[in-house]
Amino acid sequence: MGVPPPDDPKHKIVMGYPSMDRYHLQATPAPYPPPTVYGSSSIHHHQLYPSTSSQPPPPPFQHDGQYPNAAPPLGGNQYNQPYNEYYYQQHYKPLVPLNNNNDSDSSSFGRVMLILMIVLVASMCMMSLVMWFLFGTYIPEFEVASLKVSNFTATDTTLTGTWEVELSVTNTNKELAVNFDRVMSSIFYKEALLGISTLQPFQVDQMNRSTVNFSMPAEQKPNDMKLQSWVLPTLSQDQSNGVVVFSLRLAMKTNFTTANLVYRQENLRVLCENVQVVFTVGGKGTMSPGLGNICLIRLHDGDE
């Protein structure tokens, strides 16, 4: 192997990076083509790459002042007449055609139904009013006309006596009579039962007043420790003072009837509270006038 000559550039000792000239081909760039003249103006085209085909240059551009692709003036239409008529002159047609006749029929039907409902409700109200005026029921009025006690004796251990009651009943109904059935009467002193009795059925006619008389004997229970412990001593003390306050109560079944029809049935409770009886010598007592005469009426649900 021989030593290269010192003039050989490939084997020169240089400082820095090696030269890359040997890896590149030496090419001479093509010169720019001459400017092309179009009309009165010259336009320079810079061709970066040389042309690979030999084609004749394009003909010169002749400008005649017309713009074939120019936009139409504002407000104009670039489409022909049929296209314009279809999109701009046709009226809007909805997808679902409106049927005004069906809407009017539905509205008319709704108004008719509303009017019929109003007429029906008004007729029912008028019928109820007529029935009330013709067969309206009023609860009868009760009043203790008289209350007497005879042979009354009250000690700490015994009780005797008889209560005689005169009861006034008024029927204020113009078309209905009142029948009273299963009538039970009782007499109380401070919520302690002293006597009980059963009355016969009776009737009070339309716009009429009837008087019912009945009596109740004293009923003492021998084994009633409450009655003997504090009721009888208190009752004996009140009798010695001359005034005893009793309570009369009645329970009955009431029928409001016409000629052959039972119009209404009610279970009544009649409460005649705070009836004062003045006692004299000999065990006789008479109700004080003007006190405890009017009775209260209470309707009771259910059977007796």
Side-chain angles (χ1 to χ4, degrees), residues 144 146-155 158-165 185-196 214 216-219 227 231-232 234-250 270-280 283-288 291-296:
V144 179
S146 174
L147 177 60
K148 297 180 181 179
V149 183
S150 60
N151 300 325
F152 186 80
T153 301
T155 63
T158 60
L159 175 65
T160 60
T162 302
W163 287 266
E164 298 177 359
V165 182
S185 63
S186 54
I187 194 76
F188 288 84
Y189 171 78
K190 295 183 183 297
E191 300 301 325
L193 180 61
L194 302 181
I196 189 170
F214 59 93
M216 290 178 292
E219 181 179 353
L227 181 66
V231 174
L232 290 179
T234 306
L235 180 58
S236 177
Q237 183 65 34
D238 290 344
Q239 182 188 7
S240 62
N241 294 332
V243 178
V244 180
V245 179
F246 296 102
S247 296
L248 177 65
R249 300 176 185 178
L250 296 95
V270 181
L271 307 177
C272 306
E273 304 288 343
N274 301 325
V275 181
Q276 293 185 2
V277 177
V278 179
F279 282 90
T280 59
K284 294 182 178 181
T286 305
M287 184 183 69
S288 300
L291 295 176
N293 295 338
I294 304 299
C295 301
L296 301 178

Side-chain angles (χ1 to χ4, degrees), residues 41-104:
S41 61
S42 63
I43 302 175
H44 297 274
H45 295 276
H46 299 276
Q47 184 175 2
L48 299 180
Y49 300 97
S51 176
T52 59
S53 63
S54 60
Q55 295 180 359
F61 175 73
Q62 300 295 332
H63 186 269
D64 56 357
Q66 299 294 331
Y67 299 92
N69 296 328
L74 296 178
N77 184 14
Q78 59 181 343
Y79 302 103
N80 52 11
Q81 183 63 22
Y83 188 87
N84 183 37
E85 289 180 356
Y86 182 78
Y87 284 97
Y88 294 95
Q89 296 181 4
Q90 295 293 329
H91 295 287
Y92 170 72
K93 297 181 179 180
L95 297 179
V96 179
L98 298 178
N99 195 344
N100 296 328
N101 294 330
N102 292 339
D103 293 342
S104 60

Side-chain angles (χ1 to χ4, degrees), residues 68-285:
N69 296 328
L74 296 178
N77 184 14
Q78 59 181 343
Y79 302 103
N80 52 11
Q81 183 63 22
Y83 188 87
N84 183 37
E85 289 180 356
Y86 182 78
Y87 284 97
Y88 294 95
Q89 296 181 4
Q90 295 293 329
H91 295 287
Y92 170 72
K93 297 181 179 180
L95 297 179
V96 179
L98 298 178
N99 195 344
N100 296 328
N101 294 330
N102 292 339
D103 293 342
S104 60
D105 294 341
S106 301
S107 302
S108 302
F109 179 75
R111 286 193 294 268
V112 170
M113 291 301 296
L114 181 60
I115 293 174
L116 289 178
M117 290 180 63
I118 294 175
V119 170
L120 180 61
V121 172
S123 300
M124 293 177 63
C125 293
M126 291 297 296
M127 185 66 67
S128 300
L129 225 63
V130 170
M131 292 296 294
W132 172 257
F133 281 114
L134 293 179
F135 303 103
T137 57
Y138 296 94
I139 302 301
E141 299 175 357
F142 291 83
E143 181 180 356
V144 179
S146 174
L147 177 60
K148 297 180 181 179
V149 183
S150 60
N151 300 325
F152 186 80
T153 301
T155 63
D156 294 345
T157 57
T158 60
L159 175 65
T160 60
T162 302
W163 287 266
E164 298 177 359
V165 182
E166 182 181 346
L167 191 66
S168 176
V169 183
T170 304
N171 180 14
T172 58
N173 294 283
K174 297 181 179 180
E175 303 293 336
L176 301 175
V178 184
N179 295 325
F180 299 95
D181 192 11
R182 295 189 294 177
V183 184
M184 299 290 296
S185 63
S186 54
I187 194 76
F188 288 84
Y189 171 78
K190 295 183 183 297
E191 300 301 325
L193 180 61
L194 302 181
I196 189 170
S197 176
T198 302
L199 279 67
Q200 295 295 326
F202 62 96
Q203 176 177 329
V204 181
D205 295 331
Q206 301 90 334
M207 300 299 295
N208 197 0
R209 174 179 291 185
S210 298
T211 302
V212 181
N213 296 299
F214 59 93
S215 62
M216 290 178 292
E219 181 179 353
Q220 182 179 358
K221 298 179 181 180
N223 298 327
D224 194 348
M225 301 303 298
K226 177 181 178 181
L227 181 66
Q228 296 179 3
S229 61
W230 67 272
V231 174
L232 290 179
T234 306
L235 180 58
S236 177
Q237 183 65 34
D238 290 344
Q239 182 188 7
S240 62
N241 294 332
V243 178
V244 180
V245 179
F246 296 102
S247 296
L248 177 65
R249 300 176 185 178
L250 296 95
M252 63 193 72
K253 183 178 180 180
T254 307
N255 297 323
F256 297 86
T257 62
T258 57
N260 297 315
L261 176 65
V262 177
Y263 179 73
R264 180 181 175 185
Q265 293 182 349
E266 294 290 348
N267 294 322
L268 299 184
R269 297 292 188 271
V270 181
L271 307 177
C272 306
E273 304 288 343
N274 301 325
V275 181
Q276 293 185 2
V277 177
V278 179
F279 282 90
T280 59
V281 180
K284 294 182 178 181

